[in-house]
Amino acid sequence: MNFNGSRFDIQGINPLDLCEQYGTPLYVYDAQIIENQYKILRGAFADVSRLRINFAIKALTNVSVLKFMKRLGSCVDTVSIEEVKLCLRVGFEPQQIGYTPSGVSWSEIEEAVRLGVKVHLDSLPLLERFGKAHGANYPVGIRLNPHVMAGGNLKISTAHERSKFGISILQLDDIQRIMKETGVVIEGLHQHTGSEIKESEVFLNVAELIFDAAKNFPDLQYIDLGGGFKVPYKPHEKGTNMPKVGAAIAARFNQFCKDYGRDIELVWEPGKFLVAQCGTLLVRVNVVKHNPSISFAHVDSGLNHLIRPMMYDAYHEIVNVSNPLADKRLYNVVGYICETDNLAEDREMPEITEGDVLGIQNAGAYCFTMASNYNSRVRPAEVLVYNGQAHLVRARETWDDIVRNQIEVEV
Ligand code: LLP
């Protein structure tokens, strides 16, 4: 969503018109931003001859967004069998789908094998069982944990010593033993350090650790270095310097391929980088309450629709779409949930009056996908804007959705 000097717009569309047509709260995604981000990413690694982008769909699983990703040339990373099935449903080939679950059941792994997707195993017991069941018949990837602490906060750091993810990089000997005993073929090394990593050095250091480990695996087809690129959430914040990371890693990866003896594929699986900035959650102000020391703007949404501020202390910029040029005042923007659900604290923003529409920015990644029916509220509709046209891509839930699976018994 841009400000054009007098009002906000999304590819020429007035967000207030979208609220009129589809109601609030409403998630709106700008496909142009997704496309730009995709191009920036590919451009950064232009020197890599075999590059693959696996969009981490957990960030945004709307099937129309997935279809758009496919059209851009992206592949996908999934973390559950349901996500695998969504991707198959929108037309991704099984081999375009990476499946990187954490601690799932054996039967789910077997189903992924039946569906023919690229499986990444994240524990020694699963690797051993997999090797015994499939031997050399189904080449597989493994997720390593390189023991690196990085990421926006502890909850989204996934490669440190105490993180549940991956096989410790200190257990390479055990992996080798399993390979020998079972004949399992390891065709991919995977790692994901964490989310919102700004420093280029982290990406480089982790890459070095994985390239070093890779020498022990003769059958590699790819190295997957995960996601985690940071995009700015605050007004003057900086994201990961993609050209810098891209150039440095491309050079190092090309050298690795030379030393390894053949060209393999470099895979990245970003979520936020591709979709965080495309999204806006449009909400309407129900009540403005001026207490002696603080003013609250209560909106028709809350942590049920956008949990990131309460779960990670995440910052989301909020704008007054209805009245962008009014004098500024301080507000806490809060939800309608019966629990503390601050969306923003002590924010200076144009004076808010009841009925105004506010736009919560950077609401593309991990926002709708983490939404719930808490307080028995329905989840919002979603709109995808492409080429100046708004398309409804998910209907707002209804009362029926709230009661559908409940079974009323007298006990
Ligand atoms: N690959 C794997 C295996 C992952 O677990 C994740 C994210 C990604 C890729 C993509 O990471 P990204 O590029 O989006 O940082 N709900 C949290 C973020 C959790 C990320 C979980 N894994 C949030 O809203 O900040």
Side-chain angles (χ1 to χ4, degrees), residues 121-162:
L121 300 172
D122 82 328
S123 72
L124 289 173
L126 274 183
L127 180 62
E128 184 141 28
R129 188 160 180 186
F130 195 93
K132 283 182 182 154
H134 298 287
N137 294 330
Y138 200 96
V140 76
I142 51 172
R143 176 171 183 169
L144 293 176
N145 178 333
H147 299 316
V148 171
M149 175 67 94
N153 62 66
L154 186 59
K155 286 184 187 152
I156 56 175
S157 300
T158 47
H160 57 90
E161 217 183 324
R162 293 180 57 77

Side-chain angles (χ1 to χ4, degrees), residues 56 58 77 100 143 156 190 192 195 227-228 269-272 308 312 366 370:
K58 66 165 91 62
D77 182 66
T100 315
R143 176 171 183 169
I156 56 175
H190 173 286
H192 171 71
S195 200
E269 46 186 48
K272 281 179 186 153
R308 301 193 72 255
Y312 311 109
Y366 308 102
M370 293 181 79

Side-chain angles (χ1 to χ4, degrees), residues 2-158:
N2 295 311
F3 187 61
N4 66 19
S6 58
R7 69 169 176 87
F8 284 94
D9 83 88
I10 302 171
Q11 292 186 28
I13 297 174
N14 187 339
L16 298 175
D17 293 341
L18 294 177
C19 294
E20 260 335 288
Q21 190 171 355
Y22 301 108
T24 57
L26 182 70
Y27 274 103
V28 185
Y29 310 119
D30 182 339
Q32 190 59 55
I33 293 178
I34 301 177
E35 185 164 354
N36 292 349
Q37 291 298 102
Y38 183 77
K39 285 184 177 155
I40 291 171
L41 197 60
R42 284 213 84 94
F45 295 95
D47 290 342
V48 172
S49 62
R50 296 182 59 203
L51 177 73
R52 173 174 161 132
I53 307 295
N54 281 357
F55 168 50
I57 80 161
K58 66 165 91 62
L60 183 54
T61 38
N62 187 288
V63 290
S64 296
V65 173
L66 297 182
K67 261 191 191 319
F68 183 65
M69 286 289 181
K70 182 167 183 300
R71 197 151 68 72
L72 292 177
S74 183
C75 299
V76 281
D77 182 66
T78 61
V79 291
S80 69
I81 205 71
E82 290 81 358
E83 285 192 353
V84 168
K85 288 177 185 168
L86 273 179
C87 293
L88 289 170
R89 183 185 156 128
V90 304
F92 285 97
E93 296 297 327
Q95 285 293 297
Q96 294 178 312
I97 302 172
Y99 170 59
T100 315
S102 165
V104 296
S105 68
W106 176 247
S107 61
E108 192 169 318
I109 301 276
E110 283 293 82
E111 192 173 352
V113 168
R114 276 196 299 280
L115 294 172
V117 301
K118 285 188 182 291
V119 175
H120 298 142
L121 300 172
D122 82 328
S123 72
L124 289 173
L126 274 183
L127 180 62
E128 184 141 28
R129 188 160 180 186
F130 195 93
K132 283 182 182 154
H134 298 287
N137 294 330
Y138 200 96
V140 76
I142 51 172
R143 176 171 183 169
L144 293 176
N145 178 333
H147 299 316
V148 171
M149 175 67 94
N153 62 66
L154 186 59
K155 286 184 187 152
I156 56 175
S157 300
T158 47

